[in-house]
Amino acid sequence: MNESKLTQYNYIISTLLNKYHIKYNYDEFSQLLSIRMWELLRDYNPNYHVPLISYLYTRLQFYLIDLFRSLKTFQPLESDLLELPNQSLSISPEQNLLYKSFLSSLTHKELNWLELKLAGYKQKELAKLLNCSISTLKTYQKNIKFKYLTYYTK
């Protein structure tokens, strides 16, 4: 019974993969979604008054989004963008310590955002690299600005 439904609703998987423009690792995502669909078909209760197709599409879409979030898409830059230039500027040891203290107050994601922003990436590129929304990037920016002002207005 479930196998016939699995083949009947298998088009949902290709629809979702095409919707999110999955080309790399298409087969891997397809297999993971097939397994998840089998589990959903097994657990589906028609008494919920939700059509099976809506149930499958919604649950598989959320599962796919969770898979995207679990991927490690960000590769840290191998540059010293956050290092202070010692020779070109006259920076006191106190300022250097303050700067390092400021950097240590940032979360890992805020530090990643700052590094990529200093490298010249635009918001859409940052969102793609960090696997988050534009509004999340704005939150990182706001938090960094607040922490920066906190450290440098002391």
Side-chain angles (χ1 to χ4, degrees):
M1 178 79 169
N2 278 349
E3 287 183 28
S4 64
K5 286 186 179 183
L6 190 62
T7 55
Q8 180 183 355
Y9 293 109
N10 201 30
Y11 72 92
I12 295 173
I13 293 171
S14 60
T15 302
L16 284 170
L17 293 175
N18 289 332
K19 176 182 177 181
Y20 290 100
H21 306 288
I22 304 299
K23 293 182 175 83
Y24 184 74
N25 288 342
Y26 185 93
D27 293 335
E28 184 179 341
F29 282 113
S30 179
Q31 289 176 354
L32 290 170
L33 288 171
S34 295
I35 293 168
R36 183 66 181 142
M37 183 186 287
W38 179 80
E39 292 170 346
L40 291 170
L41 285 170
R42 185 189 60 195
D43 298 338
Y44 176 70
N45 184 353
N47 296 330
Y48 286 140
H49 304 291
V50 176
L52 179 60
I53 190 166
S54 298
Y55 173 78
L56 289 174
Y57 185 85
T58 305
R59 297 293 173 106
L60 287 173
Q61 183 174 14
F62 288 137
Y63 179 70
L64 186 59
I65 291 169
D66 287 341
L67 285 174
F68 293 153
R69 288 181 178 158
S70 69
L71 293 176
K72 303 282 186 223
T73 58
F74 174 71
Q75 297 296 325
L77 298 175
E78 294 179 13
S79 65
D80 296 330
L81 289 172
L82 298 177
E83 293 295 320
L84 284 173
N86 292 332
Q87 292 123 1
S88 61
L89 297 174
S90 61
I91 297 172
S92 70
E94 183 181 304
Q95 289 173 323
N96 194 8
L97 185 62
L98 192 61
Y99 182 70
K100 288 183 180 189
S101 179
F102 160 70
L103 288 179
S104 68
S105 72
L106 300 178
T107 66
H108 181 68
K109 291 183 178 187
E110 290 169 348
L111 202 55
N112 290 341
W113 177 89
L114 182 60
E115 187 175 59
L116 291 170
K117 188 67 174 177
L118 291 174
Y121 286 91
K122 303 208 182 314
Q123 289 285 58
K124 287 184 181 180
E125 295 169 328
L126 288 169
K128 188 174 182 180
L129 284 170
L130 296 174
N131 196 23
C132 63
S133 68
I134 300 277
S135 61
T136 302
L137 294 177
K138 290 178 181 178
T139 302
Y140 293 157
Q141 183 177 0
K142 183 183 76 169
N143 291 345
I144 290 170
K145 186 177 182 179
F146 177 77
K147 290 176 183 178
Y148 177 81
L149 292 174
T150 302
Y151 270 92
Y152 286 99
T153 57
K154 289 181 179 180

